Amino acid sequence: MYLLEMAPKFLVALIILLIYVKLSGKSQIAPMSQLDQVGSMVIGALVGGALLNSNVSTYQSAGLVIIWAGLLLLVRFIKSKNSRLRDAIDGEPIQLVKNGHLISDNFIKANLPVRDFETLVNIQGICAFSELKQVWYELNGSLTIIKKGDKDIAVLVIENGAISEDNLEQLHKSETWLKHEIKKEGYDDIKDIFCAEWFDNKLLVYPYDDVRKKSKAHQS
């Protein structure tokens, strides 16, 4: 009898979770930000608590999960539209090595002991700190490493049709410069660009699919 009463809860919870995973994208099973990790744990706790509590109805348990999942999706959407807000919520990567020099203050900021850092770089086949040129401690706890002799990594200056102002400042470039470069590539609006990156002293532009198709049709 108890199992029959609980069956609708299990079914509803499963459907809601499947919809949430579908809407939130595959990033939920990739390395996640701190907010994603905490949000997913809360969803698990809500589902587990609602399923085990016989005083909570199917509709109540569904409502709790829907509200929390909806809030997470809303925050994710807002972050995708505003790079500064995203950085404020998730934080920013911390540079640990710059031009071959270890930045000791940033190790303290990242709460990363140098012994743990040594282990992480050794795992990636690097024998000594002297081989390092640039290193960033990413939001998910991984390291992005550029060795001496390697090219610098590309820097995103446009994400999802919006300018990444912090990255632009890092490159010592202006918004006016970026808009001018976009126009040189044949695009009138930043919103037409899915993403653009600065790599090897060149701006690489990737427009949205529909914009690219219209551009090709116009050229033909």
Side-chain angles (χ1 to χ4, degrees), residues 108 129 160 204:
I108 297 172
F129 294 156
N160 299 315
L204 306 175

Side-chain angles (χ1 to χ4, degrees), residues 12 25 50 91 116 118 128 146-148 158 174-175 201:
V12 171
D116 292 347
E118 181 182 43
I146 301 175
K147 297 189 292 184
K148 291 178 180 177
I158 297 176
S174 68
E175 193 172 316
N201 292 320

Side-chain angles (χ1 to χ4, degrees), residues 146-169:
I146 301 175
K147 297 189 292 184
K148 291 178 180 177
D150 293 344
K151 289 184 178 180
D152 288 337
I153 60 174
V155 177
L156 280 174
V157 292
I158 297 176
E159 302 176 60
N160 299 315
I163 295 174
S164 180
E165 297 177 11
D166 289 338
N167 287 349
L168 206 57
E169 290 176 9

Side-chain angles (χ1 to χ4, degrees), residues 165-202:
E165 297 177 11
D166 289 338
N167 287 349
L168 206 57
E169 290 176 9
Q170 175 188 327
L171 295 172
H172 306 292
K173 304 288 187 182
S174 68
E175 193 172 316
T176 302
W177 167 86
L178 181 58
K179 289 179 178 178
H180 177 70
E181 292 297 313
I182 292 298
K183 285 191 175 181
K184 283 169 59 177
E185 296 292 328
Y187 304 101
D188 295 324
D189 198 331
I190 295 292
K191 293 180 180 179
D192 292 337
I193 309 303
F194 173 60
C195 69
E197 57 183 6
W198 182 255
F199 178 67
D200 200 19
N201 292 320
K202 291 182 291 187

Side-chain angles (χ1 to χ4, degrees), residues 80-141:
S80 70
K81 299 300 180 182
N82 190 309
S83 60
R84 289 194 181 277
L85 183 60
R86 182 182 62 248
D87 292 341
I89 295 174
D90 290 339
E92 300 178 77
I94 300 173
Q95 188 164 15
L96 301 177
V97 179
K98 184 175 182 180
N99 297 326
H101 300 287
L102 274 68
I103 308 173
S104 57
D105 287 345
N106 283 357
F107 277 82
I108 297 172
K109 181 180 178 181
N111 194 26
L112 179 66
V114 69
R115 182 175 297 230
D116 292 347
F117 175 70
E118 181 182 43
T119 300
L120 290 172
V121 298
N122 287 346
I123 289 173
Q124 299 198 35
I126 296 171
C127 300
F129 294 156
S130 59
E131 297 180 40
L132 302 173
K133 179 183 178 183
Q134 316 279 2
V135 179
W136 287 268
Y137 190 53
E138 302 294 347
L139 302 178
N140 56 35

